[in-house]
Amino acid sequence: MNMRIGWIGVGRMGYAMAERLAKAGGDITVWNRTRAKAEPLAASGAKVAAYVTDLAACDVVFVMVSAWKDVASVITGPSGLLSGATAAKPRLIVECSSISVDGSAQLRAALDERGIALLAAPVSGNAKVIKAGRLSFVCSGPRAAFDAALPLLR
């Protein structure tokens, strides 16, 4: 786990997933629209970002938010991950939210334009399943993206 990991969205599922990576020693920085929800992750070793654009310098960024409109907002929106003034950008985005096929295709196209790989990785499970290390991912994307993300997915 020598990658810099960014994490967007710490609701019930995202919190448990980010916490698991932090407790495993991952170099993880988390961001949530409501910062107070992310702050307890610092006790597990995570850093808490003030702005989503702070995650642009990470190698891989996970996204776990509620719907396609939220994914679009936090990634490509006017103040989203890729809106920063610097040229920094992650190599890979792992999108774990449950979004439509059309939304996933739009996201893939937007990231392709920027040279960023996308691994669509919606999940099946709940917070208890995550804590037990039994969460299931259904992954779609380039093999190289899957191989890069696999140690983190495990």
Side-chain angles (χ1 to χ4, degrees):
M1 284 215 275
N2 57 353
M3 292 183 272
R4 291 168 299 159
I5 307 162
W7 194 279
I8 298 172
V10 294
R12 196 171 351 143
M13 296 289 286
Y15 187 98
M17 293 166 74
E19 181 180 47
R20 189 166 168 83
L21 286 169
K23 285 183 173 180
D27 179 5
I28 184 169
T29 304
V30 299
W31 177 85
N32 195 69
R33 283 179 281 205
T34 305
R35 182 184 171 103
K37 290 182 179 180
E39 288 175 346
L41 286 166
S44 297
K47 297 179 271 303
V48 180
Y51 303 99
V52 70
T53 52
D54 295 342
L55 304 181
C58 292
D59 299 304
V60 59
V61 174
F62 283 79
V63 181
M64 181 57 128
V65 295
S66 60
W68 163 239
K69 67 179 177 67
D70 300 315
V71 172
S73 175
V74 298
I75 301 295
T76 59
S79 31
L81 174 70
L82 304 176
S83 69
T86 69
K89 62 183 180 183
R91 294 186 323 234
L92 171 62
I93 291 180
V94 180
E95 208 300 294
C96 298
S97 313
S98 296
I99 62 174
S100 68
V101 172
D102 289 342
S104 188
Q106 289 177 44
L107 181 59
R108 189 173 310 280
L111 296 178
D112 281 348
E113 288 176 6
R114 293 167 171 89
I116 302 169
L118 170 67
L119 184 66
V123 299
S124 177
N126 58 41
K128 287 181 181 180
V129 172
I130 294 165
K131 289 180 189 230
R134 308 286 294 163
L135 187 67
S136 296
F137 293 88
V138 179
C139 298
S140 173
R143 182 62 193 224
F146 175 77
D147 290 343
L150 187 57
L152 304 174
L153 298 174
R154 287 189 171 146

